[in-house]
Coordinates of all heavy atoms in Angstrom, one line a residue:
M4 N 10.7 57.0 -23.2 CA 11.8 56.4 -23.8 C 12.0 57.0 -25.1 O 11.2 57.1 -26.0 CB 11.6 54.9 -23.9 CG 12.6 54.2 -24.8 SD 12.2 52.5 -25.0 CE 13.6 51.7 -24.3
A5 N 13.2 57.6 -25.4 CA 13.5 58.2 -26.7 C 13.9 57.2 -27.7 O 14.6 56.2 -27.4 CB 14.6 59.3 -26.5
A6 N 13.6 57.4 -29.0 CA 14.0 56.6 -30.1 C 15.5 56.7 -30.3 O 16.0 57.8 -30.2 CB 13.2 56.9 -31.3
T7 N 16.2 55.7 -30.8 CA 17.6 55.8 -31.2 C 17.6 56.2 -32.6 O 17.0 55.6 -33.4 CB 18.2 54.4 -31.0 OG1 18.1 53.9 -29.7 CG2 19.7 54.5 -31.4
L8 N 18.3 57.3 -32.8 CA 18.4 57.9 -34.2 C 19.8 57.8 -34.7 O 20.7 58.3 -34.1 CB 18.0 59.4 -34.1 CG 16.6 59.7 -33.4 CD1 16.4 61.2 -33.3 CD2 15.5 59.0 -34.2
S9 N 20.0 57.0 -35.8 CA 21.3 56.8 -36.3 C 21.7 57.6 -37.5 O 22.7 57.4 -38.1 CB 21.5 55.3 -36.6 OG 20.5 54.9 -37.6
I10 N 20.8 58.6 -37.9 CA 21.0 59.4 -39.1 C 22.3 60.2 -39.0 O 22.9 60.6 -40.0 CB 19.8 60.2 -39.4 CG1 20.0 60.8 -40.8 CG2 19.6 61.3 -38.4 CD1 18.8 60.5 -41.7
D11 N 22.8 60.5 -37.7 CA 24.0 61.3 -37.6 C 25.2 60.7 -38.2 O 26.2 61.3 -38.5 CB 24.2 61.6 -36.1 CG 23.2 62.5 -35.5 OD1 22.7 63.4 -36.3 OD2 22.9 62.5 -34.3
K12 N 25.2 59.3 -38.4 CA 26.2 58.6 -39.0 C 26.3 58.7 -40.5 O 27.2 58.3 -41.2 CB 26.2 57.1 -38.6 CG 26.3 56.9 -37.1 CD 26.1 55.5 -36.8 CE 26.0 55.3 -35.2 NZ 25.7 53.9 -34.9
V13 N 25.2 59.2 -41.1 CA 25.1 59.3 -42.6 C 26.0 60.4 -43.1 O 26.0 61.5 -42.6 CB 23.6 59.5 -43.0 CG1 23.5 59.7 -44.5 CG2 22.7 58.3 -42.5
T14 N 26.7 60.1 -44.1 CA 27.6 61.1 -44.8 C 27.1 61.2 -46.2 O 26.4 60.4 -46.8 CB 29.0 60.7 -44.8 OG1 29.2 59.5 -45.5 CG2 29.5 60.5 -43.3
T15 N 27.5 62.3 -46.9 CA 27.1 62.5 -48.2 C 28.4 62.7 -49.1 O 28.3 63.2 -50.3 CB 26.3 63.8 -48.3 OG1 27.0 64.9 -47.8 CG2 25.0 63.7 -47.5
S16 N 29.6 62.3 -48.7 CA 30.8 62.6 -49.4 C 30.9 61.7 -50.7 O 31.5 62.1 -51.7 CB 32.0 62.4 -48.6 OG 32.0 61.1 -48.0
A17 N 30.4 60.5 -50.7 CA 30.5 59.6 -51.8 C 29.1 59.3 -52.4 O 28.2 59.3 -51.7 CB 31.1 58.2 -51.4
P18 N 29.1 59.0 -53.7 CA 27.7 58.7 -54.3 C 27.1 57.5 -53.6 O 27.8 56.6 -53.1 CB 28.1 58.4 -55.7 CG 29.3 59.0 -56.0 CD 30.1 59.0 -54.7
Y19 N 25.8 57.6 -53.4 CA 25.1 56.5 -52.8 C 25.1 55.3 -53.7 O 24.8 55.4 -54.9 CB 23.6 56.9 -52.5 CG 22.8 55.9 -51.8 CD1 23.1 55.6 -50.4 CD2 21.8 55.2 -52.4 CE1 22.4 54.6 -49.8 CE2 21.1 54.2 -51.7 CZ 21.4 53.9 -50.4 OH 20.8 53.0 -49.7
T20 N 25.4 54.1 -53.1 CA 25.4 52.9 -53.9 C 24.6 51.8 -53.3 O 24.6 50.7 -53.9 CB 26.9 52.4 -53.9 OG1 27.4 52.1 -52.6 CG2 27.8 53.3 -54.6
G21 N 23.8 52.1 -52.3 CA 23.0 51.0 -51.7 C 21.6 50.9 -52.2 O 20.7 50.5 -51.5
L22 N 21.4 51.1 -53.5 CA 20.1 51.0 -54.1 C 19.5 49.6 -54.1 O 18.3 49.5 -54.2 CB 20.1 51.5 -55.6 CG 20.5 52.9 -55.8 CD1 20.7 53.3 -57.3 CD2 19.5 53.9 -55.2
D23 N 20.3 48.6 -53.9 CA 19.8 47.3 -53.8 C 19.6 46.8 -52.4 O 19.3 45.6 -52.2 CB 20.8 46.3 -54.5 CG 22.2 46.3 -53.8 OD1 22.5 47.3 -53.2 OD2 22.9 45.3 -54.0
Q24 N 19.7 47.7 -51.4 CA 19.5 47.4 -50.0 C 18.3 47.9 -49.5 O 17.8 49.0 -49.9 CB 20.7 47.9 -49.3 CG 22.1 47.3 -49.7 CD 22.2 45.9 -49.3 OE1 22.3 45.6 -48.1 NE2 22.4 45.0 -50.2
Q25 N 17.8 47.3 -48.4 CA 16.6 47.8 -47.7 C 17.0 47.7 -46.2 O 17.6 46.8 -45.8 CB 15.4 47.0 -48.0 CG 15.5 45.5 -47.8 CD 14.3 44.7 -48.4 OE1 13.2 44.9 -48.0 NE2 14.6 43.8 -49.3
E26 N 16.6 48.7 -45.5 CA 16.9 48.8 -44.0 C 15.7 48.1 -43.3 O 14.6 48.6 -43.4 CB 17.1 50.2 -43.6 CG 17.7 50.4 -42.2 CD 16.7 50.4 -41.1 OE1 15.5 50.8 -41.4 OE2 17.0 50.1 -40.0
I27 N 16.0 47.2 -42.5 CA 15.1 46.5 -41.7 C 15.7 46.3 -40.3 O 16.7 45.6 -40.1 CB 14.6 45.2 -42.2 CG1 13.9 45.3 -43.6 CG2 13.6 44.5 -41.3 CD1 13.5 44.1 -44.3
G28 N 15.1 47.0 -39.3 CA 15.6 46.8 -37.9 C 17.0 47.2 -37.7 O 17.7 46.6 -36.9
G29 N 17.4 48.2 -38.4 CA 18.8 48.8 -38.2 C 19.9 48.1 -39.0 O 21.0 48.4 -38.9
Q30 N 19.5 47.1 -39.9 CA 20.4 46.4 -40.7 C 20.0 46.6 -42.2 O 18.9 46.4 -42.5 CB 20.5 44.9 -40.3 CG 20.9 44.6 -38.9 CD 21.0 43.1 -38.6 OE1 20.4 42.3 -39.4 NE2 21.6 42.8 -37.6
W31 N 21.1 46.8 -43.0 CA 20.8 46.9 -44.4 C 21.0 45.6 -45.0 O 22.0 44.9 -44.7 CB 21.8 47.9 -45.1 CG 21.5 49.3 -44.7 CD1 22.1 50.0 -43.7 CD2 20.6 50.2 -45.3 NE1 21.5 51.3 -43.6 CE2 20.6 51.4 -44.6 CE3 19.7 50.0 -46.4 CZ2 19.8 52.5 -45.0 CZ3 18.9 51.0 -46.7 CH2 18.9 52.3 -46.0
R32 N 20.1 45.1 -45.9 CA 20.1 43.8 -46.5 C 19.5 43.8 -47.9 O 18.6 44.6 -48.1 CB 19.6 42.8 -45.6 CG 18.1 42.9 -45.3 CD 17.6 41.9 -44.3 NE 16.2 41.7 -44.4 CZ 15.5 41.2 -43.4 NH1 16.0 40.8 -42.3 NH2 14.2 41.0 -43.6
T33 N 19.9 42.8 -48.6 CA 19.3 42.6 -49.9 C 17.9 42.0 -49.8 O 17.8 41.1 -48.9 CB 20.2 41.8 -50.8 OG1 21.5 42.4 -50.9 CG2 19.6 41.6 -52.2
G34 N 17.0 42.3 -50.6 CA 15.7 41.7 -50.6 C 15.8 40.2 -50.8 O 16.7 39.7 -51.4
R35 N 14.9 39.4 -50.3 CA 15.0 38.0 -50.3 C 14.0 37.3 -51.3 O 13.8 36.1 -51.3 CB 14.8 37.4 -48.9 CG 15.9 37.9 -48.0 CD 15.8 37.4 -46.6 NE 16.9 37.9 -45.8 CZ 16.9 38.0 -44.5 NH1 15.9 37.6 -43.8 NH2 18.0 38.4 -43.9
S36 N 13.4 38.1 -52.1 CA 12.5 37.6 -53.2 C 13.4 37.1 -54.3 O 14.5 37.5 -54.5 CB 11.6 38.7 -53.6 OG 10.9 38.3 -54.8
A37 N 12.7 36.2 -55.1 CA 13.4 35.7 -56.3 C 13.2 36.8 -57.5 O 13.9 36.7 -58.5 CB 12.9 34.4 -56.7
R38 N 12.4 37.7 -57.2 CA 12.1 38.7 -58.3 C 13.1 39.9 -58.3 O 13.5 40.3 -57.2 CB 10.7 39.3 -58.1 CG 9.6 38.3 -58.4 CD 8.2 38.8 -58.2 NE 8.2 39.4 -56.8 CZ 7.2 40.2 -56.4 NH1 6.3 40.6 -57.2 NH2 7.2 40.6 -55.1
K39 N 13.5 40.3 -59.5 CA 14.4 41.4 -59.7 C 13.7 42.6 -60.3 O 12.9 42.4 -61.2 CB 15.6 41.1 -60.5 CG 16.4 39.8 -60.0 CD 17.5 40.3 -59.2 CE 18.4 39.0 -58.8 NZ 19.2 39.2 -57.7
L40 N 14.1 43.8 -59.9 CA 13.6 45.0 -60.6 C 14.8 45.6 -61.4 O 15.8 45.8 -60.8 CB 13.1 46.0 -59.6 CG 12.8 47.4 -60.1 CD1 11.5 47.3 -61.0 CD2 12.6 48.4 -59.0
L41 N 14.6 45.8 -62.7 CA 15.6 46.4 -63.5 C 15.3 47.8 -63.7 O 14.2 48.1 -64.3 CB 15.8 45.7 -64.8 CG 16.2 44.2 -64.7 CD1 16.4 43.7 -66.2 CD2 17.6 44.1 -64.0
D42 N 16.1 48.7 -63.2 CA 15.9 50.2 -63.3 C 16.7 50.5 -64.6 O 17.9 50.4 -64.6 CB 16.4 50.9 -62.2 CG 16.2 52.4 -62.2 OD1 15.4 52.8 -63.1 OD2 16.7 53.2 -61.4
K43 N 15.9 50.9 -65.7 CA 16.6 51.1 -67.0 C 16.4 52.5 -67.5 O 15.4 53.2 -67.2 CB 16.0 50.2 -68.0 CG 16.2 48.7 -67.8 CD 15.6 47.9 -69.0 CE 15.9 46.5 -68.9 NZ 15.4 45.7 -70.0
N44 N 17.4 53.0 -68.3 CA 17.3 54.2 -69.0 C 16.3 53.8 -70.2 O 16.6 53.0 -71.0 CB 18.7 54.6 -69.6 CG 18.6 55.8 -70.4 OD1 17.7 56.0 -71.3 ND2 19.5 56.7 -70.2
P45 N 15.2 54.5 -70.3 CA 14.2 54.2 -71.4 C 14.7 54.4 -72.8 O 14.1 53.9 -73.7 CB 13.0 55.0 -71.0 CG 13.5 56.2 -70.3 CD 14.7 55.7 -69.5
Y46 N 15.7 55.3 -73.0 CA 16.1 55.6 -74.3 C 17.2 54.6 -74.8 O 17.2 54.1 -75.9 CB 16.6 57.0 -74.4 CG 15.5 58.0 -74.1 CD1 15.5 58.7 -72.9 CD2 14.5 58.3 -75.1 CE1 14.4 59.5 -72.6 CE2 13.5 59.1 -74.8 CZ 13.4 59.8 -73.6 OH 12.4 60.6 -73.3
S47 N 18.1 54.3 -73.9 CA 19.2 53.4 -74.3 C 19.0 52.0 -73.9 O 19.8 51.1 -74.3 CB 20.6 53.9 -73.7 OG 20.5 53.8 -72.3
D48 N 18.1 51.7 -73.0 CA 17.8 50.4 -72.4 C 18.9 50.0 -71.5 O 19.0 48.8 -71.1 CB 17.5 49.4 -73.5 CG 16.5 48.4 -73.0 OD1 15.6 48.8 -72.2 OD2 16.5 47.2 -73.5
E49 N 19.8 50.9 -71.2 CA 21.0 50.6 -70.2 C 20.4 50.3 -68.8 O 19.5 51.0 -68.4 CB 21.9 51.8 -70.1 CG 22.9 51.7 -69.0 CD 23.6 53.0 -68.7 OE1 23.2 54.1 -69.2 OE2 24.5 53.0 -67.9
V50 N 20.8 49.2 -68.2 CA 20.4 48.9 -66.9 C 21.2 49.8 -65.9 O 22.4 49.7 -65.8 CB 20.6 47.4 -66.5 CG1 20.3 47.1 -65.1 CG2 19.8 46.6 -67.5
L51 N 20.5 50.6 -65.2 CA 21.1 51.5 -64.2 C 21.3 50.8 -62.9 O 22.2 51.1 -62.1 CB 20.2 52.8 -64.0 CG 19.9 53.6 -65.3 CD1 18.9 54.7 -65.0 CD2 21.2 54.1 -65.9
A52 N 20.3 50.0 -62.5 CA 20.4 49.2 -61.2 C 19.6 48.0 -61.4 O 18.5 48.0 -62.0 CB 20.0 50.1 -60.1
E53 N 20.1 46.9 -60.7 CA 19.3 45.7 -60.6 C 19.0 45.5 -59.1 O 19.9 45.4 -58.3 CB 20.1 44.5 -61.1 CG 19.3 43.2 -61.1 CD 20.0 42.1 -61.7 OE1 20.6 42.2 -62.9 OE2 20.1 41.0 -61.1
I54 N 17.7 45.5 -58.7 CA 17.3 45.4 -57.4 C 16.5 44.2 -57.1 O 15.5 44.0 -57.7 CB 16.5 46.7 -57.0 CG1 17.3 48.0 -57.3 CG2 16.1 46.7 -55.5 CD1 16.5 49.2 -57.3
T55 N 17.0 43.4 -56.1 CA 16.2 42.2 -55.7 C 15.1 42.8 -54.8 O 15.3 43.5 -53.9 CB 17.1 41.2 -54.9 OG1 18.2 40.9 -55.7 CG2 16.3 40.0 -54.4
Q56 N 13.9 42.4 -55.2 CA 12.7 42.9 -54.5 C 12.5 42.2 -53.1 O 13.1 41.2 -52.9 CB 11.5 42.7 -55.4 CG 11.6 43.6 -56.6 CD 10.3 43.4 -57.5 OE1 9.6 42.5 -57.4 NE2 10.1 44.5 -58.3
A57 N 11.8 42.9 -52.3 CA 11.5 42.4 -51.0 C 10.6 41.2 -51.1 O 9.7 41.2 -51.9 CB 10.9 43.5 -50.1
S58 N 10.8 40.3 -50.2 CA 9.9 39.1 -50.1 C 8.7 39.4 -49.1 O 8.8 40.5 -48.4 CB 10.6 37.9 -49.6 OG 11.0 38.1 -48.3
R59 N 7.7 38.6 -49.1 CA 6.7 38.8 -48.1 C 7.3 38.8 -46.7 O 6.9 39.5 -45.8 CB 5.6 37.7 -48.2 CG 4.4 37.8 -47.3 CD 3.5 36.7 -47.5 NE 2.9 36.8 -48.8 CZ 1.7 37.2 -49.2 NH1 1.0 37.7 -48.3 NH2 1.4 37.2 -50.5
D60 N 8.3 37.9 -46.4 CA 8.9 37.8 -45.1 C 9.7 39.2 -44.8 O 9.7 39.6 -43.6 CB 9.9 36.7 -45.0 CG 9.2 35.3 -45.0 OD1 8.0 35.3 -44.6 OD2 9.8 34.3 -45.2
D61 N 10.3 39.7 -45.8 CA 10.9 41.1 -45.6 C 10.0 42.1 -45.2 O 10.2 42.9 -44.2 CB 11.6 41.6 -46.9 CG 12.8 40.7 -47.3 OD1 13.5 40.2 -46.5 OD2 13.1 40.6 -48.6
V62 N 8.8 42.1 -45.9 CA 7.8 43.1 -45.5 C 7.3 42.9 -44.1 O 7.1 43.8 -43.4 CB 6.7 43.1 -46.6 CG1 5.5 44.0 -46.2 CG2 7.2 43.5 -48.0
D63 N 7.0 41.6 -43.8 CA 6.5 41.2 -42.5 C 7.5 41.7 -41.4 O 7.1 42.2 -40.4 CB 6.2 39.8 -42.3 CG 5.0 39.3 -43.1 OD1 4.2 40.2 -43.5 OD2 4.8 38.1 -43.3
A64 N 8.8 41.4 -41.7 CA 9.9 41.8 -40.7 C 9.9 43.3 -40.5 O 10.0 43.8 -39.4 CB 11.2 41.3 -41.1
A65 N 9.9 44.1 -41.6 CA 9.9 45.5 -41.5 C 8.7 46.1 -40.8 O 8.8 46.9 -40.0 CB 9.9 46.1 -43.0
F66 N 7.5 45.5 -41.0 CA 6.3 45.9 -40.3 C 6.5 45.6 -38.8 O 6.1 46.5 -38.0 CB 5.1 45.2 -40.9 CG 3.8 45.6 -40.2 CD1 3.2 46.8 -40.5 CD2 3.3 44.8 -39.1 CE1 2.0 47.2 -39.8 CE2 2.1 45.2 -38.5 CZ 1.5 46.4 -38.8
A67 N 7.0 44.4 -38.5 CA 7.1 44.1 -37.0 C 8.1 45.0 -36.3 O 7.8 45.4 -35.2 CB 7.6 42.6 -36.9
V68 N 9.2 45.4 -37.0 CA 10.1 46.3 -36.4 C 9.5 47.7 -36.2 O 9.6 48.3 -35.2 CB 11.4 46.3 -37.2 CG1 12.3 47.5 -36.7 CG2 12.2 45.0 -37.1
A69 N 8.8 48.1 -37.3 CA 8.1 49.4 -37.2 C 7.1 49.5 -36.1 O 7.0 50.4 -35.3 CB 7.5 49.7 -38.5
E70 N 6.3 48.4 -36.0 CA 5.3 48.3 -34.9 C 5.9 48.4 -33.5 O 5.4 49.1 -32.6 CB 4.5 47.1 -35.1 CG 3.3 47.0 -34.1 CD 2.4 45.7 -34.5 OE1 3.0 44.7 -34.7 OE2 1.2 45.9 -34.4
K71 N 7.0 47.7 -33.4 CA 7.8 47.6 -32.1 C 8.4 48.9 -31.7 O 8.5 49.3 -30.6 CB 8.8 46.5 -32.1 CG 9.5 46.3 -30.8 CD 10.5 45.2 -30.9 CE 11.3 45.0 -29.6 NZ 12.3 44.0 -29.7
S72 N 8.8 49.6 -32.8 CA 9.6 50.9 -32.6 C 8.6 52.1 -32.4 O 9.0 53.1 -31.8 CB 10.4 51.2 -33.8 OG 11.4 50.2 -34.0
Q73 N 7.4 52.0 -32.8 CA 6.5 53.1 -32.8 C 6.3 53.7 -31.4 O 6.3 55.0 -31.3 CB 5.1 52.7 -33.4 CG 4.3 53.9 -33.8 CD 3.7 54.7 -32.6 OE1 3.3 54.2 -31.6 NE2 3.6 56.0 -32.8
P74 N 6.1 53.0 -30.3 CA 6.0 53.6 -29.0 C 7.2 54.5 -28.6 O 6.9 55.6 -28.1 CB 5.9 52.4 -28.0 CG 5.3 51.3 -28.9 CD 5.9 51.5 -30.2
A75 N 8.4 54.1 -28.9 CA 9.5 54.9 -28.6 C 9.5 56.2 -29.5 O 9.8 57.3 -29.0 CB 10.8 54.1 -28.8
W76 N 9.2 56.0 -30.8 CA 9.1 57.2 -31.7 C 8.0 58.1 -31.2 O 8.2 59.4 -31.1 CB 8.9 56.7 -33.1 CG 8.7 57.9 -34.0 CD1 7.6 58.3 -34.7 CD2 9.7 58.8 -34.4 NE1 7.9 59.3 -35.5 CE2 9.1 59.7 -35.4 CE3 11.1 59.0 -34.1 CZ2 9.9 60.8 -36.0 CZ3 11.8 60.0 -34.7 CH2 11.2 60.9 -35.6
G77 N 6.9 57.6 -30.8 CA 5.8 58.4 -30.3 C 6.2 59.2 -29.0 O 5.7 60.3 -28.8
A78 N 7.1 58.6 -28.2 CA 7.5 59.3 -27.0 C 8.7 60.2 -27.2 O 9.1 61.0 -26.3 CB 7.9 58.2 -25.9
T79 N 9.2 60.3 -28.4 CA 10.4 61.1 -28.7 C 9.9 62.6 -28.7 O 8.9 62.9 -29.3 CB 11.0 60.8 -30.1 OG1 11.4 59.4 -30.0 CG2 12.2 61.6 -30.4
L80 N 10.6 63.4 -28.1 CA 10.3 64.9 -28.0 C 10.2 65.5 -29.4 O 11.0 65.2 -30.2 CB 11.3 65.6 -27.1 CG 11.3 65.2 -25.7 CD1 12.5 65.9 -25.0 CD2 10.0 65.5 -25.0
P81 N 9.3 66.4 -29.6 CA 9.1 67.1 -30.9 C 10.4 67.7 -31.4 O 10.7 67.7 -32.6 CB 8.0 68.1 -30.7 CG 7.2 67.6 -29.5 CD 8.2 66.8 -28.6
E82 N 11.2 68.3 -30.5 CA 12.4 69.0 -30.9 C 13.5 67.9 -31.4 O 14.2 68.3 -32.3 CB 13.0 69.9 -29.8 CG 13.3 69.2 -28.5 CD 12.2 69.3 -27.5 OE1 11.0 69.5 -27.9 OE2 12.5 69.1 -26.3
V83 N 13.4 66.7 -30.9 CA 14.3 65.7 -31.4 C 13.8 65.2 -32.8 O 14.7 65.0 -33.7 CB 14.4 64.5 -30.4 CG1 15.2 63.3 -31.0 CG2 14.9 64.9 -29.0
R84 N 12.5 65.1 -32.9 CA 12.0 64.7 -34.2 C 12.3 65.8 -35.3 O 12.7 65.4 -36.4 CB 10.5 64.5 -34.1 CG 10.0 63.3 -33.4 CD 8.5 63.2 -33.6 NE 7.9 62.4 -32.5 CZ 6.7 62.0 -32.6 NH1 6.0 62.2 -33.6 NH2 6.2 61.2 -31.6
A85 N 12.1 67.0 -34.9 CA 12.4 68.1 -35.8 C 13.9 68.1 -36.2 O 14.2 68.4 -37.3 CB 12.0 69.5 -35.1
S86 N 14.8 67.9 -35.2 CA 16.2 67.8 -35.5 C 16.5 66.7 -36.6 O 17.3 66.9 -37.5 CB 17.0 67.6 -34.3 OG 18.3 67.5 -34.5
L87 N 15.9 65.6 -36.4 CA 16.0 64.5 -37.3 C 15.6 64.9 -38.7 O 16.3 64.7 -39.7 CB 15.3 63.3 -36.8 CG 15.3 62.1 -37.8 CD1 16.6 61.5 -38.0 CD2 14.3 61.0 -37.3
M88 N 14.4 65.5 -38.8 CA 13.9 65.9 -40.1 C 14.8 67.0 -40.8 O 15.0 66.9 -42.0 CB 12.4 66.5 -39.9 CG 11.4 65.4 -39.5 SD 11.4 64.1 -40.8 CE 10.8 62.7 -39.7
R89 N 15.3 67.9 -39.9 CA 16.3 68.8 -40.5 C 17.5 68.1 -41.1 O 18.0 68.5 -42.1 CB 16.7 69.9 -39.5 CG 15.6 70.9 -39.3 CD 16.0 72.1 -38.4 NE 16.3 71.8 -37.1 CZ 15.4 71.7 -36.1 NH1 14.1 72.0 -36.4 NH2 15.8 71.4 -34.9
R90 N 18.0 67.1 -40.4 CA 19.2 66.3 -40.8 C 18.8 65.6 -42.1 O 19.6 65.6 -43.1 CB 19.6 65.4 -39.8 CG 20.8 64.5 -40.1 CD 22.1 65.2 -40.2 NE 23.1 64.2 -40.5 CZ 24.0 64.3 -41.4 NH1 24.0 65.4 -42.2 NH2 24.9 63.4 -41.6
V91 N 17.7 65.0 -42.2 CA 17.2 64.4 -43.4 C 17.2 65.4 -44.6 O 17.7 65.1 -45.7 CB 15.9 63.7 -43.2 CG1 15.3 63.2 -44.6 CG2 16.0 62.5 -42.3
A92 N 16.6 66.5 -44.3 CA 16.5 67.5 -45.4 C 17.9 68.0 -45.8 O 18.1 68.2 -47.0 CB 15.7 68.7 -44.8
A93 N 18.8 68.1 -44.9 CA 20.2 68.5 -45.2 C 20.9 67.5 -46.1 O 21.6 67.8 -47.1 CB 21.0 68.8 -44.0
I94 N 20.6 66.2 -45.8 CA 21.2 65.1 -46.6 C 20.6 65.1 -48.0 O 21.3 65.0 -49.0 CB 21.0 63.8 -46.0 CG1 21.9 63.7 -44.7 CG2 21.3 62.6 -46.9 CD1 21.6 62.5 -43.8
L95 N 19.3 65.3 -48.1 CA 18.6 65.4 -49.4 C 19.1 66.5 -50.2 O 19.4 66.4 -51.4 CB 17.1 65.4 -49.2 CG 16.4 64.2 -48.7 CD1 15.0 64.4 -48.4 CD2 16.6 63.0 -49.6
D96 N 19.3 67.7 -49.6 CA 19.8 68.9 -50.2 C 21.2 68.7 -50.7 O 21.6 69.0 -51.8 CB 19.7 70.1 -49.3 CG 20.0 71.4 -50.0 OD1 19.4 71.6 -51.0 OD2 20.9 72.1 -49.4
A97 N 22.0 68.0 -49.9 CA 23.4 67.8 -50.3 C 23.5 66.8 -51.5 O 24.5 66.9 -52.3 CB 24.2 67.3 -49.1
R98 N 22.6 66.0 -51.6 CA 22.6 65.0 -52.7 C 21.7 65.4 -53.9 O 21.4 64.6 -54.7 CB 22.1 63.6 -52.1 CG 23.1 63.0 -51.2 CD 22.8 61.6 -50.9 NE 23.8 60.9 -50.1 CZ 24.9 60.4 -50.6 NH1 25.3 60.5 -51.8 NH2 25.8 59.8 -49.8
A99 N 21.2 66.6 -53.9 CA 20.3 67.0 -55.0 C 20.8 66.8 -56.4 O 20.0 66.3 -57.2 CB 19.9 68.5 -54.8
E100 N 22.0 67.1 -56.6 CA 22.6 66.8 -58.0 C 22.6 65.3 -58.3 O 22.3 64.9 -59.4 CB 24.0 67.4 -58.1 CG 24.0 69.0 -58.2 CD 25.3 69.5 -58.5 OE1 26.1 68.9 -59.3 OE2 25.7 70.6 -58.0
E101 N 22.9 64.5 -57.3 CA 23.0 63.1 -57.5 C 21.6 62.6 -57.8 O 21.4 61.8 -58.8 CB 23.5 62.4 -56.2 CG 23.7 61.0 -56.3 CD 24.2 60.3 -55.0 OE1 24.6 61.1 -54.1 OE2 24.2 59.1 -54.9
F102 N 20.6 63.0 -57.1 CA 19.2 62.6 -57.3 C 18.7 63.1 -58.7 O 18.1 62.3 -59.4 CB 18.3 63.2 -56.3 CG 18.5 62.6 -54.9 CD1 18.3 63.4 -53.8 CD2 19.0 61.4 -54.7 CE1 18.5 63.0 -52.5 CE2 19.2 60.9 -53.4 CZ 18.9 61.7 -52.3
T103 N 19.1 64.3 -59.0 CA 18.7 64.8 -60.3 C 19.3 64.0 -61.5 O 18.6 63.6 -62.4 CB 19.1 66.3 -60.5 OG1 18.5 67.0 -59.4 CG2 18.7 66.9 -61.8
S104 N 20.5 63.6 -61.3 CA 21.2 62.8 -62.3 C 20.5 61.4 -62.5 O 20.3 61.0 -63.6 CB 22.7 62.5 -61.9 OG 23.3 61.7 -62.8
W105 N 20.1 60.8 -61.4 CA 19.4 59.5 -61.5 C 18.0 59.7 -62.2 O 17.7 58.9 -63.0 CB 19.2 58.9 -60.0 CG 20.3 58.1 -59.7 CD1 21.4 58.4 -58.9 CD2 20.6 56.7 -60.1 NE1 22.3 57.4 -58.8 CE2 21.8 56.3 -59.5 CE3 19.9 55.9 -60.9 CZ2 22.3 55.1 -59.7 CZ3 20.4 54.6 -61.1 CH2 21.6 54.2 -60.5
I106 N 17.3 60.8 -61.8 CA 16.0 61.0 -62.3 C 16.1 61.2 -63.8 O 15.3 60.7 -64.6 CB 15.3 62.1 -61.6 CG1 15.0 61.7 -60.2 CG2 14.0 62.6 -62.4 CD1 14.5 62.8 -59.3
V107 N 17.1 62.0 -64.3 CA 17.2 62.3 -65.7 C 17.6 61.0 -66.4 O 17.0 60.7 -67.5 CB 18.3 63.3 -65.9 CG1 18.8 63.4 -67.4 CG2 17.8 64.7 -65.4
R108 N 18.4 60.1 -65.9 CA 18.8 58.9 -66.5 C 17.6 57.9 -66.6 O 17.5 57.1 -67.5 CB 20.0 58.3 -65.9 CG 21.3 59.1 -66.1 CD 22.5 58.5 -65.5 NE 22.4 57.5 -64.5 CZ 23.4 56.9 -64.0 NH1 24.6 57.2 -64.3 NH2 23.2 56.0 -63.0
E109 N 16.7 58.0 -65.6 CA 15.6 57.1 -65.6 C 14.4 57.6 -66.4 O 13.5 56.9 -66.7 CB 15.0 56.9 -64.2 CG 16.0 56.2 -63.2 CD 15.4 56.2 -61.8 OE1 14.7 57.2 -61.4 OE2 15.6 55.2 -61.1
S110 N 14.5 58.8 -66.9 CA 13.3 59.4 -67.6 C 13.4 59.3 -69.1 O 14.3 59.5 -69.7 CB 13.2 60.9 -67.2 OG 13.1 61.1 -65.8

């Protein structure tokens, strides 16, 4: 059984704005903890992003989905896995300037 790969739907045309989301079981959602992480520029103290952290239930749900998905991923042909990794690398490469900008603002 081959794993379902949804990375082909990912585009790089607009800046990424989902920093407050976590993917669990194919759905993007906000963390369910009461705790927030403030990502700040250390020089200006400007808040770059406010991220609701994952709750214990979020982590348990992510683990359960990963555990359930592992057999299909393990059965996925190496060339399919390699294709996925090349797509991930292409997305990261296309967003290099965006990532650099975030890292500079966080540093």
